[in-house]
Amino acid sequence: MQLHKRKEYWNSPTMSWWERAYLFEIVRGLSITGGVFMQNMWRWMTGRKGALTTYYPEETRSDYAANNRGKHVLTQRPDGTPQCIACNMCATVCPAKVIEIEAGFDPDDPAHPKYPVRFEIDYSRCIFCGLCVEACPEDAIRMVKEVPNLPTFDRRDMWLGLEELLTWNPQSDVAKPYPGKRGGRQDARKP
Amino acid sequence: MIQDLVVNLLFIGYAVTVLLVFGTVLTWVERKQAAIMSDRIGANRAYVRIPFTQFKLIWWGLFHGLADGLKMMLKEDFRPNSYDRVAYAIAPWVVFTPVLLVFAVIPFGGTLHPGELVPALAGWFGDKAYPLQIARLDAGLLVVFAFGGLTIIGAMLAGWSSDNKFSLLGALRAGSQMISYELIMGLTVLGLILIYGTVDLGAIAQQQSGVVLGVLPAWGIFFQPFAAILFLTAAIAENKRIPFDLPEAESELIAGYFTEYSAMKMGLFMFAEFIEIAIIGALFTTLFLGGYNLPFMTDAGFVLPGGREFPLAHGVVVVLQLVVFLAKVLLVCSFQILVRWSLPRFRYDQLLRFAWKFMFPLALINLTVTAVAVWALGAH
């Protein structure tokens, strides 16, 4: 005696006798998974990578977007000094309050008397919003698409300072015409 | 007398080492094979650093099994406030010990002549010969089933003494499932016993070194292909692995009958499961895949179907047989892992219906046909 009738669904599966016999479909499924296994093993044995996974942090993915907001860089003047004038606008606008700047006074450069003695970003709290880049009046801070090398056992190791931020090579920058490089054009802001 | 003791102790040491290594390595094989099957990399970070150097042995993550074992040892050994502490304490051992004992009757190689193998010992051993098997029992296959049946008691004890409803449900499922499938396992093997006329596993392995129909090696799988499939299915069900992992179905019963077990006690259950994979592999190899011999190979060397003979030295034969046995076992283990990571879990009613309405009649038909064929052909 059946107490309640099981509901019939519009897409209730109908199986052929071949599928009902169960064994053949199992063999098919096993051959699919086994085939993927053999294929990946063959790739691995012939020196290729048998997986879709990217090793992190050993490998960097090649498919980052061109405008990916990865790690910060400080742009440099042709003489290698940071373009930053330590105005603290990035530190002010930063929603996570991760930027710490300590300003110094340079009497030898009247055009840029302030410069950063210390410029540190705490990547354990950075949210990669890019507001610091937008706030900067000097185009001194930018974000490149590569991500910072962060994996560590101590969160205090996730502060990056001037030496890491200044590793970006300004020679390859086409967006910024440096004085003396494009037909001797002078910087407009210089008196 | 002393010689027998020495040789048997060596065999026992070899068998225990092989089983423990299989139990550890299979955890890694399972994770790695599952990963490769699904386009992933799998466990590859654990390493052993050689002391005083910066040289790290990674070996594709082979040490993850070791790390897992260490972790199990160091975990807190939580004990539930149960009314049956004794049963709770011995249940993991009741599961673990019989699994190890089963291997005692499985032949892992041909015959060993120590005097011929090491000439320096020839005076001591004389021309004594030892089959590479810990216990050469006439009732080998029966012993396998007797010990295999003991693990049910362990699972039931664990579920009952944990004082937990999930554990109890898991134990009930384990009991009904394992008893059902053990019957089928026995029935499928009966056909083989009819053909070979013995339950001595050593004799069964030896009988498979011949040739049938001119070219095929006389393996059990060629006599009983149907029984081989049924046996492997029932054995996986007996080991409570996916697609038959109802007793420990984690989405329904947390961990089934060992929900309340932690630390190394839980590790023992897991370890027993992985060793049982190897045991099933060894049993399947011995019964259906010709045991320790390559096709057309005997203790003396190769005899090809055409009648050409390639005699081999005794040492070469012994090493070859040990290696071939382990390789076959590993292949069967790998197949079980393939099944485990490919098929979805049965529902409980489907599981028992599959056992009693599908596999049981098939096993009976197989047995009947075999019996009639053996009687008609007048074999042995």
Side-chain angles (χ1 to χ4, degrees), chain B residues 88-321:
Chain B
Y88 178 82
I90 64 170
W93 297 101
V94 177
V95 172
F96 184 69
T97 320
V99 172
L100 280 184
L101 285 179
V102 166
F103 199 75
V105 293
I106 294 176
F108 49 84
T111 313
L112 178 72
H113 301 274
E116 202 180 325
L117 193 62
V118 187
L121 295 175
W124 196 38
F125 277 103
D127 52 356
K128 279 193 173 184
Y130 299 91
L132 282 168
Q133 187 180 5
I134 295 171
R136 178 127 211 194
L137 297 175
D138 293 338
L141 209 47
L142 302 182
V143 172
V144 168
F145 281 106
F147 282 130
L150 276 183
T151 54
I152 305 177
I153 299 176
M156 299 282 279
L157 268 185
W160 176 250
S161 63
S162 294
D163 204 4
N164 177 326
K165 289 190 178 64
F166 288 119
S167 304
L168 191 59
L169 277 173
L172 287 176
R173 287 182 174 190
S176 54
Q177 170 181 334
M178 288 166 84
I179 289 172
S180 310
Y181 280 93
E182 196 156 275
L183 186 75
I184 292 156
M185 237 167 110
L187 275 179
T188 51
V189 168
L190 268 185
L192 270 190
I193 297 175
L194 281 179
I195 290 177
Y196 292 126
T198 174
V199 288
D200 182 357
L201 285 172
I204 288 180
Q206 265 172 13
Q207 287 191 30
Q208 295 184 55
S209 57
V211 175
V212 287
L213 300 178
V215 282
L216 279 181
W219 290 2
I221 197 168
F222 296 121
F223 290 117
Q224 295 266 296
F226 227 48
I229 297 170
L230 289 178
F231 178 83
L232 199 56
T233 315
I236 292 174
E238 181 78 7
N239 196 12
K240 308 180 287 294
R241 281 168 66 78
I242 288 176
F244 305 102
D245 73 329
L246 266 296
E248 52 199 84
E250 59 265 27
S251 49
E252 304 164 26
L253 297 181
I254 308 178
Y257 59 91
F258 55 82
T259 304
E260 292 287 352
Y261 284 84
S262 52
M264 204 53 212
K265 282 182 183 156
M266 185 263 185
L268 271 183
F269 281 114
M270 301 297 291
F271 210 43
E273 182 185 320
F274 278 103
I275 292 181
E276 200 167 334
I277 299 175
I279 294 287
I280 291 170
L283 259 182
F284 191 79
T285 305
T286 310
L287 291 175
F288 293 101
L289 294 184
Y292 41 78
N293 273 338
L294 282 175
F296 320 122
M297 182 182 160
T298 61
D299 281 1
F302 285 98
V303 182
L304 291 188
R308 298 182 61 189
E309 293 187 18
F310 295 95
L312 294 172
H314 182 58
V316 178
V317 167
V318 168
V319 172
L320 195 61
Q321 283 173 337

Side-chain angles (χ1 to χ4, degrees), chain B residues 313-331:
Chain B
H314 182 58
V316 178
V317 167
V318 168
V319 172
L320 195 61
Q321 283 173 337
L322 291 180
V323 171
V324 164
F325 183 74
L326 291 184
K328 282 180 182 176
V329 171
L330 198 61
L331 267 182

Side-chain angles (χ1 to χ4, degrees), chain A residues 22 33 36 40 44 51-52 55, chain B residues 36-37 39 44 60 342 346:
Chain A
Y22 195 63
T33 48
V36 172
N40 283 337
W44 181 74
L52 301 174
Y55 285 90
Chain B
I36 295 170
M37 271 165 55
D39 286 342
N44 68 342
W60 309 288
S342 301
F346 280 102

Side-chain angles (χ1 to χ4, degrees), chain A residues 63-132:
Chain A
D63 57 344
Y64 281 132
N67 54 356
N68 179 46
R69 293 199 292 263
K71 93 177 195 182
H72 299 85
V73 290
L74 290 180
T75 54
Q76 299 164 25
R77 300 202 183 91
D79 58 354
T81 56
Q83 194 143 346
C84 174
I85 55 168
C87 66
N88 255 325
M89 284 178 82
C90 51
T92 310
V93 79
C94 179
K97 298 194 170 26
V98 300
I99 304 179
E100 283 186 14
I101 306 173
E102 190 183 322
F105 177 62
D106 183 10
D108 300 333
D109 187 358
H112 315 99
K114 270 177 93 183
Y115 72 98
V117 181
R118 205 164 59 84
F119 191 109
E120 288 177 350
I121 298 178
D122 182 4
Y123 276 100
S124 68
R125 291 184 290 142
C126 179
I127 58 171
F128 301 95
C129 61
L131 284 186
C132 47

